[in-house]
């Protein structure tokens, strides 16, 4: 998700600063996706988290959560916003109300529960016109928005950029070994999982230096962006 956010925002003309604990090894990759700058993190290790920090960011896409998300909120500029999209760093957020009542910042959530098939619940409600539960109604309301997002992805995430992000392909039998690479933190970008079996001949594999890749599959996604 972090790689995709960098690519899309850069392609839309924003100056993107990418944050990674492994900036030294991931910097070239992130810059190839459009990052203008790569930093080691939002806050120095051991530094005390402040309720209000120096205003640094117009907006943040956070896939880590925990202290990183709390720091992002504290560093948002006036009327800025942060989208919370992951919990790799923890599900608790130790923040205060001060950024919200003094700087007018916003903490935005994402929809990770409705099905990827944008027509699914729409068809369900057609089959049962009397259906009125909130879940189905919400899915119908979001359908047009999802279609606009897919159209935007086609424009803002070119195929050549996806090729950069998809840095390896593995078969299902290789997932246990790949899991070890993910847990060790030696991952970046996306690993495409060939759910039909073994990875096809000629498909991209992990880099020869042993630095792996992680994340999405053609049908399911496992994302990490340290």
């Amino acid at each position: 998700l972090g790689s995709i956010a960098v690519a899309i925002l850069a392609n839309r003309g924003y100056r993107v600063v990418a944050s990674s604990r492994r900036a030294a090894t991931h910097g070239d990759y992130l810059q190839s996706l459009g990052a203008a700058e790569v930093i080691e993190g939002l806050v120095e290790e051991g530094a005390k988290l402040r309720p209000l920090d120096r205003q640094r960011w117009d907006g943040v896409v956070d896939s880590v959560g925990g202290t990183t998300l709390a720091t992002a909120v504290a560093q948002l500029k006036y009327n800025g916003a942060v989208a919370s999209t992951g919990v790799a760093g923890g599900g608790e957020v130790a923040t205060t109300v001060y950024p919200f009542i003094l700087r007018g910042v916003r903490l935005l959530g994402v929809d990770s529960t409705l099905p990827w098939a944008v027509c699914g619940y729409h068809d369900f409600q057609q089959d049962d016109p009397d259906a009125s539960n909130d879940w189905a109604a919400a899915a119908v309301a979001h359908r047009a928005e999802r279609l606009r997002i897919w159209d935007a992805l086609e424009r803002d995430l070119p195929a050549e950029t996806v090729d950069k992000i998809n840095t390896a392909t593995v078969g299902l039998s290789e997932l246990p070994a790949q899991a070890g690479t993910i847990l060790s933190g030696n991952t970046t970008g996306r690993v495409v999982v060939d759910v039909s079996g073994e990875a096809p001949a000629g498909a991209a594999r992990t880099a020869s230096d042993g630095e792996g890749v992680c994340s999405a599959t053609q049908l399911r996604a496992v994302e990490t962006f340290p």
Side-chain angles (χ1 to χ4, degrees):
L1 175 60
S3 299
I4 292 174
V6 168
I8 289 177
L9 291 171
N11 198 57
R12 292 183 66 88
Y14 292 95
R15 184 181 186 276
V16 179
V17 177
S19 172
S20 173
R21 292 174 299 163
R22 295 173 176 81
T25 56
H26 293 0
D28 290 344
Y29 163 74
L30 293 169
Q31 288 177 327
S32 75
L33 298 178
E37 182 181 353
V38 181
I39 61 177
E40 288 283 352
L42 300 187
V43 63
E44 294 182 4
E45 187 174 352
K48 186 178 179 180
L49 179 63
R50 301 174 181 175
L52 283 173
D53 209 334
R54 178 169 61 92
Q55 298 184 54
R56 302 178 67 184
W57 319 114
D58 295 299
V60 177
V61 178
D62 171 59
S63 61
V64 179
T67 302
T68 299
L69 177 57
T71 303
V73 171
Q75 294 180 353
L76 283 173
K77 293 181 180 180
Y78 184 78
N79 274 346
V82 54
S84 175
T85 67
V87 294
E92 297 182 357
V93 183
T95 188
T96 71
V97 300
Y98 295 116
F100 302 97
I101 64 175
L102 297 177
R103 293 179 179 170
V105 306
R106 291 156 291 164
L107 176 59
L108 307 176
V110 295
D111 174 9
S112 59
T113 56
L114 293 180
W116 64 269
V118 294
C119 298
Y121 278 102
H122 178 71
D123 294 339
F124 165 80
Q125 205 164 38
Q126 282 184 336
D127 294 338
D128 185 4
D130 296 325
S132 59
N133 64 76
D134 293 339
W135 184 261
V140 172
H142 290 169
R143 182 174 185 269
E145 180 181 13
R146 283 172 171 248
L147 289 173
R148 287 195 298 270
I149 291 171
W150 283 111
D151 288 340
L153 282 175
E154 184 178 12
R155 179 187 67 244
D156 298 327
L157 192 64
E160 57 270 22
T161 302
V162 176
D163 289 340
K164 291 180 182 179
I165 296 173
N166 293 347
T167 47
T169 300
V170 299
L172 286 175
S173 63
E174 298 173 275
L175 283 180
Q178 189 68 33
T181 303
I182 294 173
L183 292 174
S184 67
N186 294 318
T187 60
T188 189
R190 293 160 52 109
V191 169
V192 176
V193 179
D194 177 13
V195 296
S196 65
E198 295 302 315
R205 294 285 181 166
T206 54
S208 58
D209 61 4
E211 182 172 298
V213 276
C214 146
S215 321
T217 74
Q218 292 169 334
L219 299 179
R220 311 197 122 207
V222 181
E223 280 289 347
T224 62
F225 187 67

